[in-house]
Amino acid sequence: MARPAVQVECLVGSQLLSLRGISKSYQSGELTTQVLHDIDLDIEAGEFVAIVGSSGSGKSTLMNILGCLDKPSSGEYYFRGQSVAWLTADQLAALRRDAFGFVFQSYNLLAAADAVANVELPAVYSGQPVGQRRQRARELLGQLGLADRLDHKPGQLSGGQQQRVSIARALMNGGDIILADEPTGALDSQSGQEVMALLRELSLAGHTVILITHDAGVAAHADRLIEIKDGRIISDQKKPQTEQKAPPKSTPPRANASLLNDLGEAFSTALRSLRANVFRTMLTLLGIVIGVASVISMLAIGQGAQQEVVDRISSMGSNLLSVFPGAPNQRGRWSVASLVPEDADAVARLPNVLAAVPELSGNQTLRRAGFDQQTSVNATYSSYPLARNWFPLKGSFFTPEDEAMTATVAVIGQTVARQMFPDRDPLGEFLLVNNVLFRVIGVMQERGASPWGQDQDDVVLVPFSTGSLRLFGQRYVRNITVAVDDTSLMHDTHQQVHNLLLERHGIEDFTIRNMASIIETQTETENTMTILLAVIAVISLVVGGIGVMNIMLVSVTERTREIGVRMATGARRLHIMQQFMIEALTVSLVGGLLGVAIGLATTAVIQSLGTPVLYAVFPVVLAFACAFLTGLIFGFLPARKASRLDPVQALASE
């Protein structure tokens, strides 16, 4: 629970910044190093203070504590009379955003952003509108002599110009307090003089300037000189005031930006970062693209194969029961003679039976002038079209009268029609079937291949009486096909047929196959294969997600200093997390879109090569959702790591 801010006693109540008994130590293994020792310090608003000391004296640590980048190990720090000891990380970020402006020795500009974007960074986290903050950034850069360098990135600017951009950034939100850490350390003498002149002007304009330096010449520009050695203040001297200063700056606190504005800025920053590392971004995208494309194409192929098999079986009739001679699991049962046409007649009289037809089939030789071939001939009843849901395209099917008269008439399939009558209409033509002359009275509709690859159109259908007597010389049938009227009662009808035949034969010398059960079994098998393909594809998507996480972790490591700069300019933990989460999500979503496009294109190519595929919305939505979740899940850990970085350690990273 946060402790409420405590009002300081009147001794420090009028001071801008007050330190009381501040100590700072660092723990490295079992070794403790104390950097600051019981520092007491007051800084008034509008002062120009130089803190001087040699390297390792603790001056930079003191600056970090003054700027709320670091916390002391002990003691109290008061800002405008209120203790900051119990402020949360986000409250400290808001304080840095509204009150402080940092000018670093190494500039700490964002390499991928131009001068304007670097300057407006603090205003992003204070929620200023885009147009307003951009206009102010341009004005500040113009006042500092950089009007012709607005769109230049840090790598295109000299050291002095980069430091001016850093100063402009410090002033973006008002810059009540300017903390300058060795601002001239990386500059030549001329640029250094210019920067110190700027800081002097800021002091005269009412800004509180705290200068950290080891150079006595640089420190001479200040009105107050504080010398620190071995973590202790050894002297504190003020110069007589010779210049008229403006009243001290005091910018009122700002509210945090709205969530929508934060998300928009995070998205813009993420795109800029991804563009700055295009090659790495493309490699990251590759894993997601391959995963999404695999999910779409593999599911399309799997479902296409499943649908084709189901369609082929269904084309034979999903409402059919097929009765075969021989007991179940009996070897050589196809040669058993146990079924007769009267069995079909008896089954046809059962309730819910639409038709029951015997079938006696075998290969026979067909002949016509100049044509000779082997074809399957099927002797059956006139109700065969009703049972098989397969009707003549031209002509007619034979009738019960044809069966009674043992008529030599035939109905042929499309394949037979093309091969035996390529030059004429087969209707009314004569055909020798095993040396018996038949007249063609009809041509069946085209049906295509069976699920087992057999050409169903390569067939000649003849009356059962004619075929059994004149072609096959037997009455025992090869199978009986039973068409069920109401498929919801398929199981009951199956049982009734079984009981009827068992009663007629006395023994179970027959086998009944349920086409609906075959379709169901085949569908389950194909579903298993489709799931297997989908799992393989999802695994590749997960591998792509791990790649995203690895790249984002590398990105956090590489951009640690950038994270520190953002925190120093007012970014809260949520801002940092949003930025890296949105980068991961952007990579995943762009990869998802590319994967969807490539997956659909690949599926189309595979389809053009003759492989059956089935386009569906679900696999596309599934793949894209997986890409989104990949970015969300695998981007969380890197984003969380980035948001929990310590500002001081982040700024000190190389």
Side-chain angles (χ1 to χ4, degrees):
M1 179 177 176
R3 174 179 162 186
V6 178
Q7 289 289 341
V8 131
E9 298 177 2
C10 60
L11 178 65
V12 295
S14 61
Q15 303 298 328
L16 176 63
L17 307 177
S18 294
L19 305 182
R20 291 292 178 267
I22 293 295
S23 295
K24 180 65 179 179
S25 59
Y26 295 100
Q27 189 78 28
S28 179
E30 297 182 357
L31 179 64
T32 301
T33 303
Q34 189 159 357
V35 181
L36 297 178
H37 303 266
D38 297 322
I39 297 291
D40 289 331
L41 177 63
D42 293 321
I43 297 176
E44 295 181 3
E47 280 194 292
F48 188 173
V49 180
I51 300 176
V52 184
S54 60
S55 179
S57 62
K59 60 185 185 301
S60 292
T61 301
L62 180 57
M63 186 207 77
N64 290 332
I65 291 174
L66 288 171
C68 297
L69 292 171
D70 202 358
K71 291 186 175 183
S73 302
S74 62
E76 288 287 344
Y77 173 27
Y78 300 97
F79 178 83
R80 291 196 173 112
Q82 292 187 325
S83 174
V84 301
W86 295 94
L87 295 182
T88 65
D90 285 348
Q91 288 171 331
L92 289 172
L95 186 58
R96 291 192 297 269
R97 178 196 70 196
D98 295 335
F100 293 97
F102 294 89
V103 180
F104 300 99
Q105 176 181 356
S106 55
Y107 324 128
N108 283 344
L109 301 178
L110 305 184
D114 60 24
V116 172
N118 269 287
V119 171
E120 66 179 359
L121 188 61
V124 169
Y125 301 120
S126 64
Q128 289 187 31
V130 175
Q132 179 181 328
R133 69 170 188 254
R134 196 151 292 170
Q135 179 62 29
R136 175 164 170 75
R138 291 193 179 102
E139 290 174 357
L140 287 171
L141 288 169
Q143 292 169 12
L144 295 176
L146 295 175
D148 58 342
R149 296 289 189 271
L150 301 181
D151 59 349
H152 285 54
K153 293 183 179 179
Q156 300 170 312
L157 300 173
S158 67
Q161 290 170 336
Q162 290 187 61
Q163 197 61 289
R164 291 185 193 184
V165 174
S166 178
I167 293 172
R169 180 181 63 193
L171 297 172
M172 186 65 197
N173 281 355
D176 300 355
I177 306 166
I178 305 295
L179 288 167
D181 185 11
E182 300 283 6
T184 63
L187 302 178
D188 58 63
S189 59
Q190 177 63 34
S191 297
Q193 289 294 330
E194 293 174 356
V195 167
M196 290 310 302
L198 286 172
L199 292 177
R200 186 66 190 173
E201 290 177 10
L202 292 175
S203 175
L204 295 175
H207 295 272
T208 302
V209 180
I210 302 174
L211 174 66
I212 308 297
T213 183
H214 67 281
D215 189 337
V218 172
H221 290 79
D223 299 324
R224 179 180 176 188
L225 182 62
I226 300 173
E227 186 175 357
I228 186 170
K229 183 178 181 180
D230 296 330
R232 291 182 171 87
I233 295 177
I234 60 174
S235 70
D236 187 350
Q237 301 176 357
K238 288 187 178 182
K239 295 180 183 179
Q241 189 68 42
T242 59
E243 298 173 293
Q244 183 67 33
K245 288 191 175 185
K249 295 287 184 179
S250 181
T251 305
R254 299 172 177 83
N256 291 324
S258 67
L259 178 61
L260 185 61
N261 182 72
D262 285 348
L263 291 175
E265 293 300 334
F267 183 73
S268 176
T269 303
L271 289 180
R272 185 165 58 241
S273 174
L274 294 174
R275 282 199 305 268
N277 298 279
V278 175
F279 184 69
R280 186 170 67 189
T281 301
M282 293 304 296
L283 289 178
T284 309
L285 283 173
L286 188 60
I288 301 297
V289 169
I290 292 174
V292 171
S294 298
V295 169
I296 292 174
S297 56
M298 286 188 176
L299 285 177
I301 293 170
Q303 291 180 341
Q306 172 184 334
Q307 190 62 46
E308 183 186 39
V309 171
V310 170
D311 288 345
R312 286 186 177 184
I313 296 177
S314 298
S315 68
M316 300 177 64
S318 59
N319 65 330
L320 299 182
L321 296 174
S322 295
V323 185
F324 298 96
N329 302 319
Q330 177 183 346
R331 290 186 177 182
R333 59 187 177 85
W334 297 106
S335 60
V336 175
S338 62
L339 295 177
V340 293
E342 288 76 16
D343 290 328
D345 297 337
V347 170
R349 290 190 289 269
L350 288 174
N352 198 40
V353 172
L354 191 63
V357 297
E359 296 186 46
L360 179 57
S361 60
N363 288 333
Q364 301 285 340
T365 301
L366 305 185
R367 292 188 178 88
R368 189 179 78 82
F371 299 93
D372 189 322
Q373 72 174 55
Q374 285 280 326
T375 298
S376 175
V377 176
N378 189 357
T380 186
Y381 279 1
S382 61
S383 54
Y384 179 86
L386 181 62
R388 290 286 191 176
N389 194 30
W390 188 21
F391 300 93
L393 178 66
K394 296 189 296 184
S396 61
F397 208 77
F398 47 81
T399 64
E401 289 75 15
D402 292 328
E403 293 178 39
M405 297 173 59
T406 319
T408 53
V409 294
V411 180
I412 62 177
Q414 291 282 344
T415 300
V416 175
R418 285 192 296 268
Q419 293 178 348
M420 299 299 293
F421 301 95
D423 54 347
R424 64 187 68 185
D425 185 349
L427 291 182
E429 298 291 330
F430 288 91
L431 190 64
L432 281 174
V433 180
N434 198 21
N435 295 322
V436 177
L437 193 63
F438 283 80
R439 182 168 61 89
V440 178
I441 61 172
V443 179
M444 300 299 286
Q445 297 171 343
E446 189 160 2
R447 199 157 199 183
S450 70
W452 303 276
Q454 180 181 357
D455 184 1
Q456 298 181 85
D457 298 309
D458 189 13
V459 66
V460 175
L461 301 169
V462 299
F464 184 84
S465 58
T466 308
S468 64
L469 179 65
R470 306 192 62 177
L471 297 180
F472 298 105
Q474 69 174 56
R475 296 189 70 255
Y476 291 105
V477 303
R478 184 175 176 82
N479 66 279
I480 296 173
T481 299
V482 182
V484 177
D485 188 15
D486 185 354
T487 54
S488 65
L489 302 175
M490 177 74 83
H491 178 75
D492 294 339
T493 305
H494 182 142
Q495 192 62 43
Q496 290 175 6
V497 172
H498 180 273
N499 294 340
L500 174 65
L501 294 178
L502 188 60
E503 181 183 347
R504 286 177 57 85
H505 293 201
I507 59 172
E508 190 170 356
D509 57 355
F510 57 88
T511 301
I512 304 176
R513 284 186 181 177
N514 188 330
M515 291 298 290
S517 298
I518 294 175
I519 292 174
E520 183 178 347
T521 302
Q522 185 64 34
T523 300
E524 290 177 356
T525 303
E526 294 293 338
N527 282 339
T528 301
M529 293 302 298
T530 301
I531 291 172
L532 178 61
L533 291 174
V535 168
I536 294 172
V538 169
I539 288 173
S540 67
L541 190 57
V542 171
V543 171
I546 294 173
V548 171
M549 182 171 66
N550 289 338
I551 292 296
M552 294 306 298
L553 285 172
V554 170
S555 180
V556 170
T557 303
E558 288 183 350
R559 295 161 57 192
T560 300
R561 183 183 285 267
E562 174 193 331
I563 295 168
V565 172
R566 292 183 180 278
M567 288 180 168
T569 53
R572 293 177 291 145
R573 286 183 172 179
L574 179 62
H575 292 131
I576 303 299
M577 178 167 278
Q578 281 177 349
Q579 177 184 337
F580 283 89
M581 282 292 292
I582 287 176
E583 284 187 27
L585 286 174
T586 300
V587 168
S588 298
L589 294 181
V590 171
L593 290 173
L594 289 175
V596 168
I598 293 174
L600 292 175
T602 302
T603 303
V605 171
I606 293 173
Q607 184 181 34
S608 69
L609 296 176
T611 301
V613 299
L614 179 63
Y615 291 98
V617 174
F618 175 72
V620 176
V621 173
L622 173 66
F624 193 76
C626 285
F628 177 81
L629 290 176
T630 296
L632 190 64
I633 294 171
F634 289 98
F636 175 75
L637 287 179
R640 184 174 180 271
K641 178 183 177 181
S643 69
R644 291 179 176 271
L645 288 174
D646 181 84
V648 172
Q649 294 179 358
L651 285 168
S653 70
E654 295 295 336

